[in-house]
Amino acid sequence: MKRLSEIFDRFGGVNLLPVLAAVVAFVLIDAPSSWVTLTVAGLAMGMMIFLMASGLSLVFGLMDVLNFGHSAFISFGAFVAASVLAFFGAWLGGDSSFLALIALILSIAAAIAFGLLGGWFFETVIIKPVYKDHLRQILITMGALIVAEQIILAVWGGTPTSVPRPAFLEGSWIIGDVSIEVYRVFAFLLGLIVYVGLYIVLNRTRVGLLIRAGVENREMVECLGFRVDRIFVGVFMVGSALAAMGGAMWAGYQTLISPALGAEMLIIVFIVVIIGGLGSIEGTLLGAILVGLIGNYVGYLAPKLALTSNMVLMMLILLWRPNGLRPIVK
Amino acid sequence: MNLLSIESMKTNIGQYAVLHDISLVVPEGGVFVLLGRNGAGKTTTLRSIMGLWKPSRGSIRFRNQDISSMHTADIARLGIAFVPENMGIFGGLTVEENLILATAKGSFDNNHLKRVTVLFPALEQFWTKQAWSLSGGQKQMLAIARAIIEPRDLILIDEPTKGLAPSIIDAMTGAFDEIAETTTILLVEQNFQFAKSLGREMAVIDDGRIVHAGSMADFVADRDLQNRLLSLSA
């Protein structure tokens, strides 16, 4: 068993899990074109979930804050982006791809800006008074999530809102008998760019070094002369902006969104950060990709089990690694 | 000249009063040793100085400035470093990253870096390794190196010899002697042999109170006092 574990680690360890899942699915699905479609869909979904979950993971890792209100930013991001896209509807449907691209960028930028401002307000007004008190954190952030849902209901109404997409992101590329949706490739690439950006900030800058150190041992970072609470405000804002960005991407992916979106995504987002290891960005990416891939594969192979696949995956991983796949060193 | 003076300090942890009445004067220069049994309040005293636990009463003055209500980060920026009992190293960061984090500008001063690598040559060998992979002794060296990578006025060190092999403790004694030439050290220690080889001044804490303070030489000479305060056998 030890030898098997050593071999597993030598070839990439837990990073291999998505590859293993894809290989097993390839054998079970027995239809390469369907497998490619499901894999691309799973990767795109994984990247969007990563965007939504990464902030939550950092916020918990850095300050031990359990923020159930995190998914409110996913909802707001989705609705703000949908409104901006609807406002520029003529650009999206017109002949100019450039104008459609501008509309898309503006919609994502609006979601990010909302996330940054909302994150600052949320941290200052709701989170700060309940530092170091998990019970009150859960109660107050759950309450904030309910309030956020009601605000969305009041502003956007209770009926599902349709989300227009730019024309250049509609349709699929057909390669042989494989069909790849353009939007899924776009979502995957954007998620990848954000991950690379986060990786560079966390591993190549002083702020990133402080965040990584703070996630491990906040007290010691303060003993070195840094105010972690001030760093935390920035991390919270960026985390909320990423969630809003993920929500905006998800809105475009689903094309129909309802005020319950945040509450629906909350469970998946928490599963991802628990699977990955709280506080670990690499772990969050790994968990998100796994959840995305396995959700799609199981949905195809055994549709009745699709809803439970994430829970089963989390249980199996926690039985194997109680601290998640890529836990941070505490 | 006094570097640090504590007067009638009381610290509670939750509903428990851990320090009842701590009054202490740490002169500038050399090693000041705080001795005491397990649970006497040594660690709480250091953590209170560092602002990690706020005293509910009394004052802590560093270079005549009251620091008792200051934020930990602001206390550190005054020139006070802390090496906790668990060493507080960042296991997921490399040795280099651990050290660079402790620099004010985010870059090394060559002279200070040279001093650290001369004192602890093993660290250079593991420069790019993640700190969790170091041995206990190497982790302790890294924790102390981090405290001296920038000039400090006072270093608070909590039981640095705990769990270390005698050969490493010997090496550490030499390092502490060198560090104490330029920086005042407030050392909390249970290893009396180690403490007496370094300390010039000392105090004994028991049940949250200072029960003795004086020169280390006098304390070493008085076996009855040692037995009474520390329960040391011959």
Side-chain angles (χ1 to χ4, degrees), chain A residues 30 92 127-128 138 153 165 178 217 225 247 256 273 285 298 303 322:
Chain A
D30 201 25
L92 295 177
I127 301 290
K128 201 165 268 176
I138 292 169
L153 264 173
R165 270 189 201 168
V178 175
N217 191 338
L256 204 61
V273 295
L285 178 67
V298 174

Side-chain angles (χ1 to χ4, degrees), chain A:
Chain A
M1 194 66 192
K2 197 180 170 191
R3 178 93 187 113
L4 200 67
S5 174
E6 279 172 7
I7 293 170
F8 181 66
D9 285 342
R10 194 180 303 159
F11 286 98
V14 291
N15 295 334
L16 269 185
L17 288 176
V19 180
L20 281 176
V23 170
V24 171
F26 185 78
V27 174
L28 294 174
I29 290 169
D30 201 25
S33 59
S34 301
W35 177 81
V36 172
T37 304
L38 290 168
T39 305
V40 172
L43 289 174
M45 201 172 151
M47 277 303 187
M48 284 183 280
I49 296 172
F50 165 72
L51 287 178
M52 298 179 213
S54 52
L56 182 70
S57 185
L58 275 181
V59 159
F60 184 85
L62 192 62
M63 289 298 270
D64 257 4
V65 168
L66 280 167
N67 180 17
F68 283 85
H70 186 76
S71 60
F73 293 101
I74 297 172
S75 299
F76 274 117
F79 277 93
V80 167
S83 296
V84 174
L85 284 171
F87 183 79
F88 290 106
W91 290 10
L92 295 177
D95 294 334
S96 170
S97 293
F98 177 72
L99 287 178
L101 179 67
I102 295 291
L104 179 71
I105 291 171
L106 284 175
S107 68
I108 295 175
I112 291 173
F114 184 92
L116 286 171
L117 284 174
W120 172 79
F121 177 81
F122 199 87
E123 200 280 336
T124 310
V125 175
I126 295 174
I127 301 290
K128 201 165 268 176
V130 292
Y131 277 167
K132 298 178 182 172
D133 187 342
H134 281 159
L135 180 62
R136 289 177 69 203
Q137 280 168 16
I138 292 169
L139 292 173
I140 201 164
T141 57
M142 279 300 274
L145 177 61
I146 294 166
V147 170
E149 262 185 36
Q150 296 306 309
I151 291 172
I152 290 171
L153 264 173
V155 176
W156 282 279
T159 51
T161 305
S162 70
V163 184
R165 270 189 201 168
F168 66 90
L169 289 179
E170 292 285 7
S172 304
W173 290 316
I174 309 293
I175 304 163
D177 56 352
V178 175
S179 167
I180 299 172
E181 257 193 64
V182 178
Y183 191 86
R184 288 174 179 172
V185 176
F186 166 71
F188 176 76
L189 290 177
L190 196 62
L192 194 64
I193 289 168
V194 171
Y195 171 72
V196 171
L198 270 179
Y199 183 85
I200 290 170
V201 169
L202 286 173
N203 292 285
R204 298 277 181 273
T205 68
R206 186 154 171 85
V207 171
L209 188 60
L210 278 169
I211 293 170
R212 284 190 293 141
V215 167
E216 278 192 39
N217 191 338
R218 183 175 74 235
E219 202 174 84
M220 203 58 226
V221 171
E222 294 192 329
C223 287
L224 294 176
F226 301 99
R227 293 288 295 256
V228 175
D229 50 348
R230 288 176 189 163
I231 301 167
F232 178 65
V233 179
V235 171
F236 198 94
M237 288 169 69
V238 172
S240 304
L242 286 173
M245 185 184 177
M249 297 298 297
W250 192 258
Y253 183 65
Q254 298 285 27
T255 63
L256 204 61
I257 51 172
S258 74
L261 169 69
E264 287 163 14
M265 295 309 295
L266 180 68
I267 298 167
I268 292 182
V269 163
F270 263 87
I271 287 175
V272 163
V273 295
I274 290 167
I275 286 176
L278 288 160
S280 160
I281 284 296
E282 288 85 359
T284 304
L285 178 67
L286 193 58
I289 296 287
L290 265 178
V291 164
L293 284 176
I294 290 176
N296 274 277
Y297 294 145
V298 174
Y300 177 84
L301 289 166
K304 285 181 180 172
L305 295 178
L307 284 174
T308 58
S309 65
N310 294 332
M311 291 289 180
V312 173
L313 177 68
M314 182 174 72
M315 282 191 294
L316 290 175
I317 286 176
L318 291 185
L319 281 170
W320 175 39
R321 295 199 170 199
N323 294 320
L325 293 172
R326 296 282 300 266
I328 50 159
V329 185
K330 282 271 189 186

